[in-house]
């Protein structure tokens, strides 16, 4: 059977075709009936899609004028099953569309009959109908969407359905509705009437670090969910002049609603107690913020500060260019990037027209200011074949995270001034990016903050500071603060180690250049603060004989330092920063907070005291166990102190068990 120009032609020996025409939804179906093709009873269907020019006479099939382009397919039925008429086997086989695996072609007999294919799920359809596939996919996606919609709609609860409310809805009174579905969690934030009224203006206030009134204002705004801009004049020091111009004084806090000065904490408490805060807030912030309001701090812009250049920088630049810096052999060791003392003396004589004695004196001054060092730290500077190197060529430089391509050649600031600046910036960071109890720190938020960017710039001032001018209290506060700041920097840059073994490498490899020497977390804790004692499970001391850093180490150990050192874990003391004026009182406060939180637990029936493992690791700093328990009493609350006093005074045995240490990060 063939289709030519829209007409069905009768093969030789075939009976006349009878055509039945039906119409459904605008599509004309013509079924060919009572046809004999070979020995098979055959009926076929010709599907037409009538075009605008089609002229179908349902009463007279012979008058059909359907055009060839209206024919879609011819599918005969053999023994009641619809089959595809195969083209002549001499013709090329059609290729399957992209994305569909081609079905194996049916092999025709010699007389043209089709061979029945093996039955499978994918072959139950003998004709590939692309519109049908698209329709199938669309129906399946619609069915899936409908089921998801029904699932969500089933979450609508009745006011009287107490069981559903108790099981499916949480925190309804707090404004958050939580639905639990298998494999899915939906949290709906319910807007209150206050939130629907958007505040168009801006709340801003000037503050300082470690200011109680500023902390109270900050907490008040956070409790009410108000967005505010804080301008800390200890961080943005140039803004203090603006504060004085706007308010007439430098006292903080000073609150502004848009460009209008509201006042300080006293005015805020007065308005809150009168119950008119919300009304006053809507009144003052109903309009958009004008350009006269205090501007928010901008990321990436430093305050312009005049820094004096070291008077010896000119000589250092000449020496860096003229000296033959190379690797040399000394004491059977290869010393890298160094020069001889006599070579530097000759360069100074030649370029600065001075005598040899004067050149040696200049070399000693450069060594005292930490521009150069002896490769083994044996002397300041001497003429002859002694080898020296510049600070930037020291082998520890790649591990120092406060070195950014070059050393700071500006005139060194006093170490106590740099330490105070570090304290204020890091305190401001904690006030903005740590929980109120300081137990949880937002390291991701800190890493993106302007305060942390300024801290990274600040620690470059540590390169050549003179640590020997610090008093004992100043030195104690300086290195406690530096350690805790380095921990935050290290967690941001290299991540937090997960166990004791990884922690050892973490503590040794993260370093700063301070006063011309390298200081790691380990050397600060055990070398400086613990007076050069071995760290737990270590056989060697941090500083060897002749190490110049021994001059900076504290003469004796204060065991309370262990409650002021935070190492970024959940079991360590909370992160805090100290002042040199009140260091002893602040350390006692840190110890009291640590023991009252989780540092000591007591089981009276078992006569057992559970202590932090920190005391076991540094037992040499605390003394004997019973001495430790008597010392701890001073830092416990009244209940625990009374129970521990009773245990120690009744003459019975007291067991000490050390708690497991949680190494997970305190974020």
């Amino acid at each position: 059977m063939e289709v030519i120009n829209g007409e069905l032609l009768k093969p030789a020996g075939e009976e006349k075709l009878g055509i039945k025409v039906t119409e459904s939804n605008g599509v004309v179906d013509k079924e060919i009936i009572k046809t004999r093709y070979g020995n098979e009873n055959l009926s076929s269907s010709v599907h037409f899609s009538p075009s605008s020019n089609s002229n179908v006479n349902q009463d007279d099939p012979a008058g059909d004028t359907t055009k060839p382009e209206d024919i879609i397919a011819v599918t005969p039925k053999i023994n009641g099953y619809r089959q595809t008429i195969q083209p002549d086997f001499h013709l090329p086989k059609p290729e399957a569309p992209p994305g569909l695996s081609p079905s194996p072609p049916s092999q025709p007999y010699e007389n043209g009959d089709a061979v029945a294919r093996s039955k499978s799920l994918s072959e139950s359809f003998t004709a590939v109908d692309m519109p049908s596939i698209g329709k199938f996919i669309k129906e399946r996606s619609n069915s899936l969407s409908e089921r998801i919609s029904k699932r969500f709609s089933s979450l609508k609860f009745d006011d009287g359905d107490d069981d559903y409310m108790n099981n499916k809805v949480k925190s309804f009174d707090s404004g958050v509705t939580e639905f639990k579905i298998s494999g899915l969690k939906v949290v709906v934030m319910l807007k209150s009437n206050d939130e629907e009224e958007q505040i168009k203006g801006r709340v801003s206030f000037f503050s300082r670090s470690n200011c109680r009134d500023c902390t109270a204002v900050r907490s008040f705004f956070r409790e009410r969910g108000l967005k505010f801009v804080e301008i800390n004049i200890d961080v943005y020091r140039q803004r203090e002049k603006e504060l004085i111009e706007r308010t007439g004084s430098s006292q903080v806090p000073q609150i502004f609603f848009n460009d209008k000065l509201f006042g300080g904490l006293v005015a805020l408490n007065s308005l809150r107690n009168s119950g008119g805060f919300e009304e006053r807030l809507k009144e003052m912030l109903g309009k958009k913020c004008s350009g006269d309001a205090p501007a928010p701090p901008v990321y990436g812009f430093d305050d312009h500060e005049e820094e004096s250049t070291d008077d010896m920088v000119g000589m250092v630049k000449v020496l860096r260019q003229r000296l033959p810096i190379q690797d040399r052999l000394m004491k059977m060791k290869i010393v890298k990037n160094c020069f001889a003392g006599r070579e530097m003396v000759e360069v100074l004589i030649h370029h600065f027209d001075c005598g040899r004695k004067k050149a040696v004196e200049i070399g000693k001054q450069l060594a005292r200011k930490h521009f150069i060092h002896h490769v083994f730290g044996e002397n300041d500077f001497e003429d002859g074949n002694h080898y020296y190197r510049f600070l930037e060529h020291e082998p520890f430089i790649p591990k120092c995270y406060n070195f950014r391509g070059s050393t700071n050649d500006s005139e060194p600031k006093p170490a106590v001034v740099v330490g105070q600046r570090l304290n204020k910036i890091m305190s401001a960071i904690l006030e903005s990016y740590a929980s109120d109890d300081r137990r949880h720190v937002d390291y991701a938020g800190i890493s993106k903050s302007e305060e942390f960017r300024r801290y990274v710039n600040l620690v470059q001032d540590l390169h050549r500071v003179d640590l020997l001018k610090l008093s004992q209290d100043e030195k104690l506060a300086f290195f406690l603060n530096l350690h805790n700041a380095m921990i935050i920097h290290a967690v941001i840059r290299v991540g937090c180690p997960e166990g004791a073994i990884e922690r050892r490498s973490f503590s040794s490899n993260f370093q700063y250049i301070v006063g011309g020497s390298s200081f790691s977390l380990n050397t600060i804790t055990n070398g400086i603060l613990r007076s050069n004692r071995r760290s737990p499970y270590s056989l060697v001391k941090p500083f060897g004989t002749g190490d110049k850093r021994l001059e900076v180490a504290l003469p004796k150990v204060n065991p309370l330092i262990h409650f002021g050192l935070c190492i970024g874990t959940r079991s360590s003391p909370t992160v805090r920063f100290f002042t040199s004026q009140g260091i002893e009182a602040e350390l006692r406060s840190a110890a009291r907070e640590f023991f009252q939180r989780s540092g000591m637990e007591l089981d009276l029936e078992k006569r057992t005291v559970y202590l932090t493992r920190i005391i076991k690791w540094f037992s040499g700093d605390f003394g004997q166990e019973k001495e430790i328990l008597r010392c701890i009493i001073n830092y416990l609350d009244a209940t625990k102190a009374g129970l521990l006093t009773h245990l120690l005074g009744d003459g019975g045995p007291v067991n000490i068990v050390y708690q497991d240490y949680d190494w997970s990060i305190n974020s």
Side-chain angles (χ1 to χ4, degrees):
M1 182 173 59
E2 297 177 303
V3 180
I4 300 178
N5 295 330
E7 296 183 3
L8 296 173
L9 303 183
K10 179 179 68 175
E14 184 181 10
E15 293 184 3
K16 183 177 180 181
L17 300 177
I19 300 176
K20 179 181 178 181
V21 181
T22 59
E23 181 177 3
S24 175
N25 297 329
V27 178
V28 179
D29 290 339
K30 297 189 178 184
E31 187 173 357
I32 307 169
I33 59 175
K34 291 183 180 180
T35 303
R36 184 165 57 83
Y37 184 72
N39 296 324
E40 298 290 338
N41 292 327
L42 176 116
S43 65
S44 63
S45 297
V46 183
H47 301 282
F48 296 84
S49 178
S51 62
S52 58
N53 297 327
S54 300
N55 184 13
V56 180
N57 187 347
Q58 298 181 8
D59 297 331
D60 185 10
D64 182 19
T65 60
T66 305
K67 295 183 179 180
E69 57 268 22
D70 296 329
I71 298 176
I72 297 176
V74 179
T75 56
K77 291 181 180 178
I78 300 176
N79 292 333
Y81 295 95
R82 179 166 294 176
Q83 299 289 332
T84 301
I85 297 178
Q86 298 295 331
D88 191 283
F89 65 91
H90 295 293
L91 297 176
K93 304 300 185 213
E95 297 180 357
L100 292 177
S101 59
S103 301
S106 300
Q107 301 296 331
Y109 289 123
E110 293 180 357
N111 60 0
D113 292 337
V115 178
R117 297 176 292 179
S118 60
K119 294 181 179 180
S120 66
L121 182 62
S122 61
E123 294 176 353
S124 59
F125 300 98
T126 58
V128 179
D129 191 352
M130 291 305 295
S132 299
I133 293 176
K135 183 178 180 182
F136 172 76
I137 294 175
K138 183 177 180 181
E139 289 177 353
R140 293 292 293 176
S141 61
N142 291 340
S143 175
L144 179 62
S145 301
E146 183 179 357
R147 277 185 289 177
I148 293 176
S149 300
K150 287 182 179 180
R151 187 67 169 169
F152 278 106
S153 62
S154 66
L155 296 174
K156 293 181 179 179
F157 51 86
D158 225 336
D159 292 338
D161 193 354
D162 295 337
D163 294 337
Y164 183 84
M165 288 286 291
N166 293 333
N167 296 330
K168 294 293 184 180
V169 183
K170 293 183 179 180
S171 304
F172 184 80
D173 294 335
S174 63
V176 180
T177 304
E178 179 180 312
F179 301 103
K180 286 190 175 180
I181 311 173
S182 178
L184 185 66
K185 181 178 180 181
V186 181
V187 179
V188 180
M189 301 296 295
L190 301 179
K191 287 186 177 181
S192 63
N193 294 332
D194 295 337
E195 291 175 344
E196 291 178 356
E197 297 181 5
Q198 296 181 356
I199 296 177
K200 300 178 181 179
R202 182 171 68 224
V203 179
S204 54
F205 79 99
F206 289 85
S207 67
R208 288 185 184 272
S209 301
N210 301 315
C211 171
R212 291 186 178 181
D213 289 353
C214 298
T215 301
V217 171
R218 191 184 303 110
S219 300
F220 177 82
F221 289 151
R222 286 176 177 172
E223 289 173 0
R224 280 158 177 75
L226 287 175
K227 294 182 179 180
F228 61 91
V229 173
E230 181 175 355
I231 306 169
N232 189 317
I233 58 178
D234 286 333
V235 179
Y236 311 101
R237 292 185 289 177
Q238 298 290 333
R239 303 294 294 271
E240 183 175 3
K241 182 179 179 181
E242 176 188 349
L243 173 64
I244 296 174
E245 292 175 352
R246 288 180 179 272
T247 65
S249 70
S250 60
Q251 294 182 352
V252 291
Q254 294 294 339
I255 306 169
F256 285 80
F257 290 157
N258 286 343
D259 57 342
K260 297 179 181 178
L261 174 63
F262 175 76
L265 181 62
V266 175
L268 186 63
N269 286 333
S270 175
L271 192 60
R272 178 182 60 180
N273 296 335
S274 66
F277 177 77
E278 280 73 16
E279 182 179 352
R280 181 73 178 275
L281 186 69
K282 295 175 185 177
E283 174 187 347
M284 300 186 72
L285 298 179
K287 298 179 181 180
K288 290 185 178 180
C289 186
S290 65
D292 296 332
V298 181
Y299 182 89
F301 290 89
D302 294 314
D303 295 334
H304 178 68
E305 297 180 2
E306 293 184 1
E307 292 188 354
S308 59
T309 303
D310 197 300
D311 54 0
M312 304 194 77
V313 169
M315 293 183 183
V316 173
K317 289 181 178 180
V318 172
L319 293 173
R320 284 170 177 164
Q321 294 174 354
R322 299 296 180 181
L323 283 175
I325 299 173
Q326 57 191 7
D327 299 346
R328 304 167 191 260
L329 184 64
M330 182 178 182
K331 296 181 179 180
M332 302 302 294
K333 294 181 181 179
I334 296 178
V335 183
K336 296 188 177 231
N337 300 322
C338 62
F339 56 88
R342 58 177 175 78
E343 294 172 341
M344 188 175 112
V345 170
E346 291 172 359
V347 171
L348 290 173
I349 293 173
H350 177 72
H351 284 275
F352 297 100
D353 194 20
C354 62
R356 202 166 195 88
K357 186 176 179 180
K358 179 65 174 177
V360 172
E361 183 61 31
I362 292 174
K364 291 182 178 181
Q365 292 180 19
L366 293 176
R368 284 194 294 267
K369 290 194 172 185
H370 304 296
F371 283 110
I372 62 173
H373 291 132
H374 189 275
V375 292
F376 296 125
E378 295 178 353
N379 54 63
D380 288 339
F381 183 79
E382 291 182 7
D383 194 359
N385 288 328
H386 302 280
Y387 293 128
Y388 303 88
R389 61 163 65 99
F390 288 103
L391 178 59
E392 59 267 27
H393 294 152
E394 293 284 357
F396 55 74
I397 286 294
K399 295 182 180 180
C400 295
Y401 285 80
N402 68 333
F403 179 82
R404 304 175 69 183
S406 63
T407 54
N408 188 346
D409 290 341
S410 299
E411 182 69 26
K413 298 181 178 67
V416 64
V417 174
V418 178
Q420 291 172 353
R421 282 277 291 140
L422 185 148
N423 179 7
K424 292 178 179 179
I425 287 185
M426 294 309 298
S427 297
I429 287 176
L430 292 182
E431 289 168 352
S432 298
Y433 299 99
S435 58
D436 292 338
D437 59 5
R438 299 293 190 268
R439 296 181 64 182
H440 304 286
V441 180
D442 180 11
Y443 292 101
I446 293 175
S447 66
K448 303 173 185 177
S449 68
E450 169 65 11
E451 294 91 337
F452 182 71
R453 190 193 69 82
R454 293 190 175 218
Y455 163 79
V456 172
N457 290 339
L458 171 66
V459 292
Q460 294 181 84
D461 292 342
L462 296 171
H463 289 178
R464 299 190 300 110
V465 295
D466 190 353
L467 297 175
L468 298 178
K469 293 183 178 180
L470 292 172
S471 66
Q472 295 301 318
D473 287 345
E474 290 172 346
K475 193 181 299 181
L476 180 59
F478 179 90
F479 280 102
L480 281 171
N481 293 341
L482 182 61
H483 176 279
N484 292 345
M486 286 176 66
I487 283 288
I488 294 176
H489 193 182
V491 170
I492 291 173
R493 288 297 304 270
V494 301
C496 185
E498 298 180 355
I501 298 177
E502 294 84 357
R503 173 69 58 172
R504 183 178 296 273
S505 174
F506 175 84
S507 299
S508 299
N509 292 336
F510 192 90
Q511 303 177 8
Y512 274 8
I513 309 173
V514 185
S517 301
S518 65
F519 287 89
S520 66
L521 297 168
N522 177 53
T523 53
I524 290 176
T525 301
N526 301 295
I528 303 297
L529 299 176
R530 296 186 63 230
S531 190
N532 198 32
R533 296 190 178 187
R534 290 190 296 268
S535 61
Y537 312 110
S538 177
L539 300 177
V540 297
K541 295 181 178 181
F543 304 143
T545 304
D547 195 319
K548 288 188 174 296
R549 292 174 291 182
L550 284 172
E551 300 176 14
V552 187
L554 293 172
K556 62 179 181 178
V557 182
N558 183 347
L560 295 182
I561 63 170
H562 297 291
F563 310 116
L565 292 171
C566 175
I567 61 173
T569 61
R570 293 186 182 274
S571 289
S572 74
T574 57
V575 58
R576 61 173 64 212
F577 295 91
F578 303 88
T579 62
S580 58
Q581 298 84 0
I583 184 64
E584 288 293 335
E586 292 168 6
L587 281 175
R588 288 195 295 269
S589 175
R592 188 176 298 108
E593 176 190 310
F594 179 75
F595 282 113
Q596 292 181 4
R597 188 191 74 190
S598 60
M600 197 281 285
E601 299 294 337
L602 188 65
D603 191 329
L604 194 60
E605 294 181 358
K606 296 181 179 179
R607 301 185 62 84
T608 301
V609 178
Y610 299 91
L611 289 179
T612 173
R613 194 164 289 270
I614 295 175
I615 293 180
K616 181 180 180 180
W617 291 335
F618 300 98
S619 58
D621 299 346
F622 292 97
Q624 299 297 323
E625 289 185 341
K626 285 196 173 181
E627 295 178 4
I628 295 172
L629 295 180
R630 291 190 181 94
C631 180
I632 287 175
I633 292 177
N634 299 322
Y635 304 103
L636 300 177
D637 57 57
T639 302
K640 288 184 178 180
L643 293 175
L644 184 57
T645 302
H646 173 72
L647 282 180
L648 295 175
D650 63 4
V654 178
N655 301 318
I656 295 180
V657 176
Y658 293 100
Q659 304 167 344
D660 292 335
Y661 197 90
D662 187 355
W663 291 101
S664 56
I665 189 173
N666 63 336
S667 61

